[in-house]
Amino acid sequence: MSLIAAHRLSIRLGGAEVLTGVSMSVAAGEIVTIVGPNGSGKSTLLRALLGILPSAGGEVTRKPGLRIGYVPQKLHIDRSLPLTVRRFLSLPQRRSEAEARTALERVGVPEVRERQMADLSGGQFQRVLLARALLTTPDLLILDEPTQGLDQPGEAAFYRLIEEVRSETGAAVLMVSHDLHVVMSASDRVICLNGHVCCQGTPRVVSNAPEYRALFGLGTQGALALYQHSHDHDHTHDHAHPHAHDHDAAEHDHV
């Protein structure tokens, strides 16, 4: 049974349909990465799966009792507001000293416990957000572009941490990423979204595409994976066959 799944899910924002007929799922223990161009509905899909946005059609199903840990794309901390890491970890639910210490040690930043949130580096901040998400002992971690704003070494370290967390806890991971290295090395499955599911499958589907190999050989970093089918078809009907395009090629542009 899937931990969480969307079934022909459609979402409307401001009168416009931004997601149409999206079907996808995440199984226990797997890492699934969502890719797509800006404005393709990636964050919208995560918010719908979390129950933050209502659906205009279709449905979201969750395993009964599913525990979700969420790391948002951005979290603004007012610099004028005194807020230590320790206090942040106890929002909204109070956590013991032992719980806080264990969570910070797990993500590799035990030394920031009494630091102000506003004074953390980008990498430290993201690790603290992950620590807070792990305090719920989640079955599923949902990460919305968790390395945005980090340099390449910081990105690589964070994604290694995600894999370690999955290995140690057994939690499944659903994340949005623009980093091709992550898609290829850290994902069990990749879902390409552009208002609907263009295609989904194993990273092999993408890595075997000649367009991808050509660009990757040039050392393209941080490129956005734009999946394009190698056959002609009507995109308006893609959503009826969410698993039907595992043979498709991939094409990449700079963000």
Side-chain angles (χ1 to χ4, degrees):
M1 177 183 178
S2 298
L3 296 179
I4 196 165
H7 308 276
R8 300 185 61 82
L9 182 69
S10 296
I11 302 292
R12 297 183 68 86
L13 294 175
E17 191 159 272
V18 294
L19 289 179
T20 303
V22 171
S23 294
M24 52 75 67
S25 63
V26 181
E30 72 172 343
I31 295 180
V32 178
T33 304
I34 302 171
V35 298
N38 289 333
S40 61
K42 302 183 297 294
S43 294
T44 297
L45 176 56
L46 294 190
R47 292 169 68 198
L49 292 172
L50 288 164
I52 298 170
L53 292 176
S55 67
E59 64 175 349
V60 173
T61 58
R62 300 178 187 86
K63 180 182 176 181
L66 179 68
R67 296 186 305 276
I68 297 176
Y70 176 49
V71 177
Q73 184 179 110
K74 294 178 182 177
L75 182 65
H76 175 69
I77 300 292
D78 188 339
R79 295 193 66 86
S80 66
L81 178 68
L83 182 63
T84 64
V85 170
R86 173 68 184 91
R87 184 170 175 80
F88 176 74
L89 292 178
S90 280
L91 297 175
Q93 181 180 344
R94 184 167 180 79
R95 301 292 179 177
S96 70
E97 290 293 331
E99 288 175 312
R101 182 170 54 253
T102 299
L104 291 174
E105 286 174 351
R106 171 169 273 166
V107 300
V109 288
E111 73 281 0
V112 304
R113 181 177 164 280
E114 296 302 329
R115 295 267 302 277
Q116 293 291 320
M117 288 291 295
D119 293 337
L120 300 179
S121 69
Q124 290 170 334
F125 193 93
Q126 290 306 107
R127 285 170 182 256
V128 169
L129 290 183
L130 179 60
R132 184 166 174 260
L134 291 174
L135 282 168
T136 63
T137 57
D139 305 304
L140 171 65
L141 275 171
I142 294 183
L143 314 171
D144 192 356
E145 296 197 49
T147 63
Q148 190 174 59
L150 302 187
D151 59 17
Q152 191 178 348
E155 287 185 351
F158 189 85
Y159 285 122
R160 281 196 301 272
L161 174 61
I162 292 299
E163 290 189 270
E164 290 169 7
V165 166
R166 190 264 295 260
S167 177
E168 292 172 8
T169 69
V173 178
L174 174 64
M175 62 182 167
V176 168
S177 176
H178 281 166
D179 191 327
L180 293 181
H181 294 292
V182 174
V183 173
M184 294 306 134
S185 66
S187 305
D188 298 312
R189 283 192 299 117
V190 179
I191 297 171
C192 176
L193 198 67
N194 194 13
H196 61 282
V197 174
C198 297
C199 57
Q200 56 182 309
T202 64
R204 177 189 54 78
V205 172
V206 183
S207 62
N208 285 340
E211 298 92 341
Y212 170 80
R213 289 199 304 267
L215 285 174
F216 192 74
L218 294 174
T220 301
Q221 306 259 339
L224 178 64
L226 297 175
Y227 292 62
Q228 185 176 63
H229 304 317
S230 57
H231 59 335
D232 293 327
H233 67 281
D234 182 355
H235 264 221
T236 61
H237 298 299
D238 279 1
H239 57 266
H241 306 285
H243 301 288
H245 306 300
D246 276 4
H247 59 284
D248 296 329
E251 185 174 286
H252 307 275
D253 284 326
H254 291 291
V255 180

